[in-house]
Amino acid sequence: MKSSSTQGVGARLARKEDDRYLRGQGEFVGDIHRPGMLEVAFARSPVAHARIVSIEKPAGAEDRVFTMEDLRGVQPIRAISGLPGFKPSDLWPLAKDKVRHVGEPVAMCVAATRAEAEDLAAQVFVDYEELPAVVDMVQARTAPSALVHEHWGDNVFLETLYDDDLSAAKASAPIQIRRHIRTARQSMAPMEGRGVLCEWNTRLGQLEMYSSAQMPHINRAGLSECLGLDQGAIRVIAPDVGGGFGYKGILLSEEICLGWLARNLHKPVRWLEDRREQLVASTNCREHDYDITVYAERDGKLIGIDCDATVDSGAYSLYPFSACLEAAQVGSILPGPYKMDHYRCHTWSACTNKPPILPYRGVARTGVCFALELMLDAVAREANIEPFEVRLRNLVQPHEMPFDNITKKHFDSGDYPESVRQAISAINLPAWREKQKAGLPDGRRIGIGLSVYCEQGAHGTSVYAGWGIPMVPGHEQCFARLSPDGVFEVRIGAQSHGQSLETTLAQVANEILGVDPQNVRVIHGDTGLTPYSTGTWGSRCMVMSGGAVATASKEIAVRVKKIAGKIMEVAEQDLVLEHGAVRVAGTDRSMTLAEVAHIWYRKPQLLPADVDPAGLEVTAGYKTLRDSGTFSYACHALVIALDTALGHSEILDYVIVEDGGTLVNPMVVDGQIYGGTAQGIGTALYEEMPYDSEGQPLASTLADYMLPGPTEVPEPRIVHMSTPSPYTEFGQKGIGEGGAIAPPAAIINAINDALAPLGAELTTSPASPRRVLAAIEAARLRQAA
């Protein structure tokens, strides 16, 4: 049933979504208005850790200001897990008894305008009894100044251990390198902040919530638990979403508050997050600490890795699950695509007085890639060989695929060494090494860096079932309908927040049915209209939703052929679907899909007697042949010019060789990689959310929190490899997160390459000018001593 169209799988089809976005006709939560709608603002804690002694509402506004005492019947958010030793943390939608991070909501204020609501919030007086703030993640578990949740007895959400005997490696490995590596805490910065609009539909007895969300069905389940409503009494609609990256993949306290408010006021209410709230009060990510030792042979071949890793998980675990998603994965993904005989990793998810972390694009992989790839470059320097040679000697080889690594990760396909070879060739390493010897005319030093990563995407049931969390994926479903005028409608439960699903899923339908992508209508992100889905996360949409659309399209194709065969009096096997029509192979006889649909809906007397009574509507489910996930990968290689007087780095060239299996739309893949690389450059050089000793965030505006812009992000050169996955519908792999994983390691490896003659080395991100200069000064002092 393969289409001969040039608009199907593999076509560089222009994005259907862009027409409305470029015309300013998108519909985001901030664009939605309802008659009589009220605006909401929150009074938030100015301190990181304190007991609430009392809360005073503004005089005369008591009926417009609500505290947790007012939200009767509302239950706390409780993220659960079946992982042994996990400690749950009750998060009340509005703080009750205690606040645990700056920005935690304490009171909800309602007014006709946002400005008036903010004025009310400023008048709420809270008497706080301050407590010591727990700020450093390692000290939180080793020498805590206080307990964030007293009844735990410590500040650890979860501890995990992958254990192995490394005594032989410690005794005999000729290369033994130990480093302390840290990544900075970041704040996600999508163009659109989070937003919620709620109203109570009295006719249906249903809460209708518009939310900038990635997982509408999961949010509905959490709302049901917290508000005491059955799930049928809640409809969650995600309209256009202006970027998510994991940031919008949780249940919000604000969603619960507005859901309660709409039901009790019987008026529409809306909250739109402003940028200061987003930076200060909302979820952070990527704060890791690694005490890591690598053991290797003299030729750079890995023997083993020993690592103690701590992740700062913040004050709470958010629904459905957030606190341990990073640290619990570190232990299993740290070895990456490299082979070794021994491995030990001890991880802690530390609880601190900071906002809860969320999985940010790449989840734990960005930090893991940073730690591992920096260590491989350190091995290369010790062995006096090129860093790319270390990779080639340790990567899993193509003839070994599929391959189970030391932590039992199942790599489905790929040629990892070839990606390194192509990247080194594309960057022209020998030419840059010659230039490096001479240096640049302006005195800056040249550095060449690379990193390799693998990205497990489209995780299935077997991966998440053991975690015991409320987001275990099963079959992904698609409802499909061929309408009376030949338009093909598909409904999926996942939600697009920039992945171009309206385009790529239309291409899948075209591949099977031959229907013009412009005649494919994709409906998603609405619990009232779409099949259940755990949503958009983990680079799963093109594999899972794409597979579901293909399965549904195949069933519709069978039914279309049955009807057309009867009408044209030919055998069904002699029919082909292409260009929006059913054709008799080898002839010019055909019927359009619209004509077939017209007969089903309007002229049933012409139908065959044994026609499927379900007609031209179908709900189909899909699972990959093996649900352990797909593994895409890439090698990033780049050249930087480093000013050792100012500490400033400039990227001169950037090459990415990636393998996402079969690319449904290479143009969309390029866009995903461009965007991810920009975020990775921000992680490597600019973005940092520091906190002082009292738990106060020190980057509360975009003047303090530095984001890369067009002048800081060069256009990378992308080389596509394609090793199809043997487990998916078309051989496609998840690729949405990958671009953001490798840049920090590659960039700081390049900086360290430039610094190597000075004896200096960076092991912390971001590589700000201050840190570069500090590393140079530390090396000078060591040499002087």
Side-chain angles (χ1 to χ4, degrees):
M1 288 187 286
K2 181 174 174 59
S3 166
S4 61
S5 169
T6 58
Q7 298 178 299
V9 171
R12 299 182 70 90
L13 193 68
R15 288 175 18 123
K16 295 174 62 177
E17 298 90 330
D18 287 342
D19 182 71
R20 69 175 183 273
Y21 292 151
L22 294 175
R23 298 175 189 274
Q25 294 173 349
E27 185 182 56
F28 302 86
V29 174
D31 298 317
I32 303 172
H33 298 269
R34 292 289 183 267
M37 184 174 72
L38 300 174
E39 299 282 356
V40 174
F42 289 88
R44 298 180 181 273
S45 172
V47 296
H49 197 195
R51 300 190 192 284
I52 298 174
V53 178
S54 63
I55 303 175
E56 296 180 17
K57 300 179 182 180
E62 291 85 355
D63 60 340
R64 292 183 289 152
V65 176
F66 303 88
T67 67
M68 196 60 229
E69 284 190 5
D70 299 311
L71 273 59
R72 291 182 176 85
V74 173
Q75 298 300 308
I77 300 171
R78 172 168 279 203
I80 60 172
S81 170
L83 293 171
F86 172 76
K87 303 184 188 76
S89 55
D90 284 354
L91 170 58
W92 293 93
L94 297 173
K96 181 179 181 181
D97 302 328
K98 190 176 179 182
V99 293
R100 293 180 172 87
H101 66 85
V102 171
E104 186 170 351
V106 177
M108 172 172 56
C109 306
V110 188
T113 68
R114 173 64 181 249
E116 292 175 279
E118 289 184 354
D119 287 344
L120 283 177
Q123 297 173 57
V124 174
F125 176 77
V126 184
D127 185 5
Y128 294 103
E129 178 189 326
E130 288 199 56
L131 300 168
V134 180
V135 177
D136 182 85
M137 57 183 145
V138 176
Q139 291 180 3
R141 64 178 179 81
T142 59
S145 57
L147 295 179
V148 181
H149 301 277
E150 288 89 347
H151 63 285
W152 288 6
D154 61 17
N155 288 320
V156 178
F157 281 99
L158 181 70
E159 183 177 350
T160 69
L161 178 63
Y162 276 82
D163 206 4
D164 193 10
D165 183 5
L166 287 161
S167 56
K170 294 177 181 179
S172 62
I175 294 179
Q176 302 186 23
I177 298 174
R178 182 179 181 181
R179 293 288 187 272
H180 183 209
I181 295 173
R182 275 214 175 197
T183 63
R185 196 173 188 86
Q186 290 182 243
S187 178
M188 307 176 201
M191 290 182 68
E192 178 208 29
R194 297 185 292 193
V196 183
L197 188 156
C198 290
E199 59 183 330
W200 184 259
N201 187 318
T202 54
R203 179 177 66 87
L204 298 177
Q206 186 179 59
L207 174 66
E208 294 180 353
M209 174 180 292
Y210 292 84
S211 179
S212 182
Q214 294 176 219
M215 301 158 66
H217 291 87
I218 297 296
N219 280 20
R220 180 181 66 175
L223 286 165
S224 171
E225 295 172 17
C226 293
L227 294 175
L229 296 171
D230 65 77
Q231 293 194 35
I234 302 171
R235 179 183 179 187
V236 178
I237 305 161
D240 285 328
V241 176
F245 316 120
Y247 177 63
K248 297 173 181 175
I250 60 164
L251 175 66
L252 306 179
S253 295
E254 292 86 353
E255 288 176 317
I256 298 167
C257 290
L258 268 75
W260 178 90
L261 189 64
R263 188 184 183 192
N264 283 271
L265 291 187
H266 289 282
K267 289 188 176 182
V269 291
R270 184 177 66 174
W271 167 74
L272 298 177
E273 180 181 62
D274 64 29
R275 189 59 65 179
R276 187 176 178 86
E277 282 180 301
Q278 192 265 320
L279 287 168
V280 172
S282 298
T283 47
N284 297 166
C285 58
R286 286 186 178 167
E287 190 171 8
H288 293 202
D289 180 283
Y290 299 88
D291 182 352
I292 182 169
T293 304
V294 169
Y295 302 93
E297 302 287 1
R298 180 53 57 190
D299 64 358
K301 186 114 175 20
L302 288 176
I303 298 171
I305 295 175
D306 190 3
C307 181
D308 287 339
T310 305
V311 173
D312 191 327
S313 297
Y316 301 99
S317 187
L318 300 177
Y319 187 95
F321 185 66
S322 71
C324 308
L325 199 55
E326 296 254 332
Q329 285 199 82
V330 165
S332 64
I333 66 177
L334 180 59
Y338 298 104
K339 296 185 291 184
M340 62 198 71
D341 295 325
H342 302 285
Y343 174 67
R344 174 193 169 276
C345 187
H346 198 169
T347 76
W348 292 268
S349 302
C351 185
T352 64
N353 291 120
K354 298 176 186 175
I357 66 162
L358 267 190
Y360 181 32
R361 196 174 193 173
V363 199
R365 290 163 183 78
T366 304
V368 162
C369 178
F370 183 68
L372 180 58
E373 294 292 311
L374 259 62
M375 295 302 289
L376 292 180
D377 264 34
V379 168
R381 287 192 291 273
E382 180 69 20
N384 196 28
I385 60 177
E386 280 283 2
F388 79 88
E389 291 285 358
V390 173
R391 273 78 176 180
L392 293 179
R393 292 173 190 180
N394 290 288
L395 285 166
V396 57
Q397 300 297 306
H399 68 269
E400 297 174 299
M401 294 292 183
F403 179 81
D404 291 338
N405 78 349
I406 198 166
T407 60
K408 307 305 180 186
K409 291 293 183 183
H410 183 79
F411 294 83
D412 51 348
S413 66
D415 189 342
Y416 290 70
E418 181 61 18
S419 70
V420 175
R421 287 189 286 266
Q422 289 198 30
I424 293 301
S425 174
I427 205 76
N428 198 351
L429 178 64
W432 280 112
R433 286 296 185 208
E434 287 302 313
K435 293 179 182 179
Q436 188 180 46
K437 294 175 184 176
L440 294 172
D442 58 9
R444 292 183 297 169
R445 292 178 175 269
I446 288 174
I448 304 102
L450 76 156
S451 65
V452 178
Y453 76 88
C454 61
E455 176 196 356
Q456 184 180 12
H459 312 64
T461 306
S462 64
V463 178
Y464 273 74
W467 289 43
I469 56 178
M471 54 174 286
V472 178
H475 281 81
E476 196 75 9
Q477 293 182 309
C478 169
F479 169 83
R481 170 195 290 141
L482 188 62
S483 69
D485 55 1
V487 171
F488 190 54
E489 179 185 300
V490 296
R491 301 184 183 189
I492 60 163
Q495 164 63 21
S496 179
H497 49 90
Q499 300 94 327
S500 314
L501 292 182
E502 293 174 34
T503 302
T504 53
L505 294 181
Q507 289 180 253
V508 170
N510 171 271
E511 186 74 15
I512 305 299
L513 283 170
V515 61
D516 188 329
Q518 293 302 320
N519 285 334
V520 178
R521 182 182 298 275
V522 177
I523 297 172
H524 51 81
D526 185 336
T527 63
L529 298 178
T530 64
Y532 177 85
S533 172
T534 53
T536 304
W537 53 274
S539 296
R540 67 189 302 271
C541 289
M542 204 59 246
V543 173
M544 300 305 296
S545 294
V549 170
T551 304
S553 298
K554 289 177 183 178
E555 181 59 33
I556 292 291
V558 170
R559 299 180 187 185
V560 163
K561 284 185 176 182
K562 191 173 191 65
I563 296 171
K566 167 70 173 179
I567 301 303
M568 291 192 284
E569 299 181 331
V570 296
E572 295 168 34
Q573 58 266 30
D574 293 332
L575 298 175
V576 294
L577 291 165
E578 57 185 15
H579 307 303
V582 191
R583 300 183 184 277
V584 180
T587 75
D588 58 359
R589 296 178 62 202
S590 67
M591 292 180 66
T592 66
L593 292 178
E595 289 172 333
V596 174
H598 182 77
I599 289 172
W600 165 259
Y601 290 104
R602 305 291 294 275
K603 296 183 178 180
Q605 69 273 18
L606 302 180
L607 293 172
D610 60 346
V611 69
D612 191 324
L616 299 179
E617 296 185 0
V618 62
T619 297
Y622 173 79
K623 261 192 176 184
T624 54
L625 294 177
R626 178 183 172 119
D627 70 355
S628 52
T630 63
F631 280 79
S632 56
Y633 61 95
C635 179
H636 288 222
L638 71 142
V639 181
I640 59 104
L642 179 66
D643 188 328
T644 54
L646 299 176
H648 178 263
S649 305
E650 179 189 359
I651 299 173
L652 302 179
D653 194 11
Y654 203 122
V655 170
I656 300 169
V657 180
E658 66 80 29
D659 187 344
T662 301
L663 304 184
V664 174
N665 186 323
M667 183 188 72
V668 166
V669 171
D670 287 350
Q672 290 287 298
I673 293 173
Y674 289 148
T677 301
Q679 290 174 310
I681 290 171
T683 299
L685 296 174
Y686 304 103
E687 296 185 49
E688 183 172 11
M689 176 58 74
Y691 285 77
D692 69 12
S693 61
E694 295 182 348
Q696 291 293 328
L698 303 179
S700 60
T701 72
L702 290 180
D704 308 302
Y705 188 85
M706 303 302 294
L707 291 169
T711 57
E712 289 79 37
V713 180
E715 181 176 349
R717 294 185 285 131
I718 301 175
V719 178
H720 292 296
M721 293 174 55
S722 180
T723 312
S725 172
Y727 306 133
T728 64
E729 177 67 29
F730 303 107
Q732 75 273 35
K733 302 178 180 181
I735 200 170
E737 301 172 84
I741 294 171
I747 291 169
I748 294 181
N749 275 337
I751 292 172
N752 285 338
D753 185 58
L755 291 174
L758 303 178
E761 183 183 24
L762 276 178
T763 57
T764 301
S765 68
S768 61
R770 173 178 59 84
R771 285 199 174 99
V772 171
L773 295 177
I776 294 171
E777 179 62 14
R780 186 189 68 79
L781 293 174
R782 283 195 303 271
Q783 292 166 359

